[in-house]
């Protein structure tokens, strides 16, 4: 599985943090959540932390889900 990438964050004067993914806003954190996020980014892999906080990461089951009968296109096997 490839490591997440393309995340950036900006910290503003009011203490809020805006997380972006490939230039698009992925989330905004304020108050205690922003403080916890900044502490976690400083102590771990920033890309992985941002992916987890925004919910934008792979769960490992995409390949399995693709072949499930409910997700197959009609007339195609």
């Amino acid at each position: 599985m490839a490591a997440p990438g393309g995340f950036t964050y900006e910290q503003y004067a009011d203490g809020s943090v805006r997380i972006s993914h490939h230039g698009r806003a992925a989330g905004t954190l304020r108050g205690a959540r922003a403080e916890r996020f900044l502490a976690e980014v400083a102590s771990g892999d920033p890309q992985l932390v941002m992916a987890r906080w925004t919910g934008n990461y792979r769960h490992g089951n995409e390949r399995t889900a693709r072949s499930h009968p409910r997700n197959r296109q009609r007339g195609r096997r």
Side-chain angles (χ1 to χ4, degrees):
M1 180 188 318
F7 287 98
T8 58
Y9 72 92
E10 295 176 76
Q11 185 177 3
Y12 294 99
D14 66 355
S16 64
V17 176
R18 179 177 166 222
I19 303 172
S20 301
H21 186 244
H22 294 292
R24 293 184 145 187
T28 302
L29 306 170
R30 293 179 180 87
R33 292 189 71 204
E35 291 173 16
R36 278 196 325 248
F37 168 79
L38 291 170
E40 201 170 320
V41 163
S43 67
D45 176 18
Q47 291 295 305
L48 189 58
V49 171
M50 287 183 273
R52 193 169 49 75
W53 275 76
T54 61
N56 190 356
Y57 59 96
R58 294 193 173 245
H59 303 279
N61 63 353
E62 289 82 6
R63 197 171 304 200
T64 305
R66 189 178 329 155
S67 62
H68 189 277
R70 179 180 49 221
N71 297 329
R72 284 193 218 141
Q73 293 178 354
R74 289 196 172 151
R76 190 177 148 203
R77 293 208 165 224

